[in-house]
Amino acid sequence: NTSESPVAVETLDDVPEHVLRGLPEDVRLFPSAVDKTRLGVWATKSILKGKKFGPFVGDKKKRSQV
């Protein structure tokens, strides 16, 4: 009888308010297509190449760190 601990699933309640406020109008957070326990960023319509939005809040990471 093995009991596995439940996997924590990230929800919108886990996302800081400033992140939600900073999302562009056509971007939403939904369950990730890569990791179902995490939220992913989804566009509700096409985003033009070069489109900028922000400001970025948080620690900048090198590609090797993510």
Side-chain angles (χ1 to χ4, degrees), residues 30-44:
F30 291 120
S32 170
V34 176
D35 180 349
K36 298 296 183 194
T37 66
R38 303 292 310 270
L39 293 173
V41 179
W42 295 84
T44 58

Side-chain angles (χ1 to χ4, degrees), residues 8-20:
V9 176
E10 189 175 32
T11 68
L12 289 177
D13 291 334
D14 300 320
V15 179
E17 183 62 33
H18 71 275
V19 172
L20 296 175

Side-chain angles (χ1 to χ4, degrees), residues 3-5 10 18 29 34 36 38 42 53 56 60:
S3 62
E4 294 181 26
S5 52
E10 189 175 32
H18 71 275
L29 297 178
V34 176
K36 298 296 183 194
R38 303 292 310 270
W42 295 84
F53 53 88
F56 173 79
K60 190 170 184 176

Side-chain angles (χ1 to χ4, degrees), residues 45-64:
K45 69 179 190 179
S46 294
I47 299 173
L48 297 174
K49 183 177 181 178
K51 175 76 173 172
K52 294 183 180 184
F53 53 88
F56 173 79
V57 177
D59 298 323
K60 190 170 184 176
K61 303 287 184 186
K62 294 179 181 178
R63 187 174 296 273
S64 63

